[in-house]
Amino acid sequence: MNMHGMDEKTIRSILNDLKSKDTPYERVLSSMCTYPHPVAVAAHQQFIETNLGDPGLFAGTAEIEHEVMRMMGTLFGNPDAHGYITTGGTESNIQAIHAIKTARKIREPNIIVPASAHFSFDKVADILGIEVQKADLDPEFRADISSVEDLIDENTIGIVGIAGTTEFGQIDPIRELSDLALSKNIFLHVDAAFGGFVIPFLREKYEFDFTLPGVTSIAADPHKMGFATIPTGGLLFQDSSYLNRLSVDTPYLTVNSQQTLSGTRSGASAASAYAVFTYLGREGYERIVQRCMELTHELVARARESGIEPLIDPVTNVLVLDVPDADSVRSKLKKRGWDVSITRDPRALRLVIMPHLSRENLNLFADDFADVVKWTSAT
Ligand code: 0PR
């Protein structure tokens, strides 16, 4: 740190220089985050100093968090769902499994996740000392129910289904997983970190939430398709008994116990989610999600003009294209200013069609894509 303070103008100019090295989202097709909604940004700024870790001091902000949880619970079929605002999908997944582990006191517990699970479950394994078994996928990249069932043994405490997989945007058969969880008397956590703010707003209806009786917890991130500011994740449990098991005593705070992973937590996240939920309403989200789906389908049509097929018909706004030599296509697109991503297995080109992408930019992208594919297959 410098000994003497620096003037604000110089600091701002240094920060501007550094910010200019960041990639603006307009040409990014690899991210599940986007520009937060302006009403979310304004609310975030208004609550910048608030700390939900000491809710007695910030009673109004705590009310906002309850209201956000009620709105999310209602969206996911259970207004009485109980949870809190996390820093994102990783923390939600860790805490969901933490609660399950605490509920089932088994010496060497395991959980079963589909092979498509986000890498946060590798952190779950490490941090919680739980064996994380990976079930096979069906040809459409959904969890294969018989593989999940085969892996269940007497040490299995829970299973995980993904509603909107990171790589394929696919939705696991959550009803079947729910039936399985009920019949084996184990927990079912649904990772809807991405899909939570997509699936309820699609024209096609999918069962993935608390309306299914076996679903015990859901992770859904307002900071992805919910347009809240980063970091805003959401974790909800079927009822308060789950989270209460994680209580630790906090005698010197304004409340006597805490169930969250972090101590100090930003109330700005809660305010930003509250503002954007109420501003857009279901109708606003439907409009945005359906536009993303329209653009996704347009991109499929453009790829087909170059003889390239998607690996699955896109279910959400994630498009995976079966291009030969995906790594090389990715780096060539990068040279033309586009950030795209790849899948692990099989190796394919992964595009996330977020709301920051305009039709005009996607047409430019499709032109570059056609060109790159032509030259890649020619060499
Ligand atoms: N669960 C699922 C299904 C996810 O897709 C993700 C993140 C998580 C959990 C973890 O969420 P947090 O990152 O909020 O802890 N999916 C993206 C990924 O890791 C996140 C992402 C966002 C990546 C923006 C890149 C990026 O630019 O691939």
Side-chain angles (χ1 to χ4, degrees), residues 25 28 30-34 86-93 116-121 123 162-167 189 191-195 219 221 223-224 230-233 341 350 352 354:
Y25 277 123
V28 173
S30 61
S31 173
M32 288 186 151
C33 290
T34 191
T86 65
T87 51
T90 301
E91 181 183 340
S92 299
N93 288 338
S116 54
H118 184 257
F119 53 76
S120 49
F121 287 97
K123 301 181 187 179
I162 321 285
T165 60
T166 310
E167 288 175 294
H189 172 63
D191 180 356
F194 177 69
D221 287 349
H223 72 198
K224 295 193 169 75
I230 298 173
T232 311
S341 161
R350 170 182 174 265
V352 190
M354 291 298 285

Side-chain angles (χ1 to χ4, degrees), residues 13-14 70 79 110 121 136 144 158 199 212 268 315 319 367-368:
S13 132
I14 295 169
R70 203 190 55 77
N110 69 59
F121 287 97
D136 295 339
D144 182 300
I199 300 165
L212 298 169
V315 178
L319 170 58
D367 294 343
D368 275 338

Side-chain angles (χ1 to χ4, degrees), residues 156-216:
T156 302
I157 54 172
I159 54 181
V160 173
I162 321 285
T165 60
T166 310
E167 288 175 294
F168 292 92
Q170 182 57 283
I171 304 168
D172 283 335
I174 308 292
R175 172 169 284 280
E176 281 86 344
L177 290 171
S178 163
D179 291 345
L180 187 59
L182 289 174
S183 75
K184 303 279 184 185
N185 193 26
I186 52 179
F187 300 96
L188 169 58
H189 172 63
V190 175
D191 180 356
F194 177 69
F197 288 92
V198 179
I199 300 165
F201 309 117
L202 291 171
R203 283 223 172 85
E204 188 125 358
K205 293 300 154 214
Y206 295 89
E207 295 179 302
F208 78 103
D209 61 14
F210 291 122
T211 48
L212 298 169
V215 173
T216 39

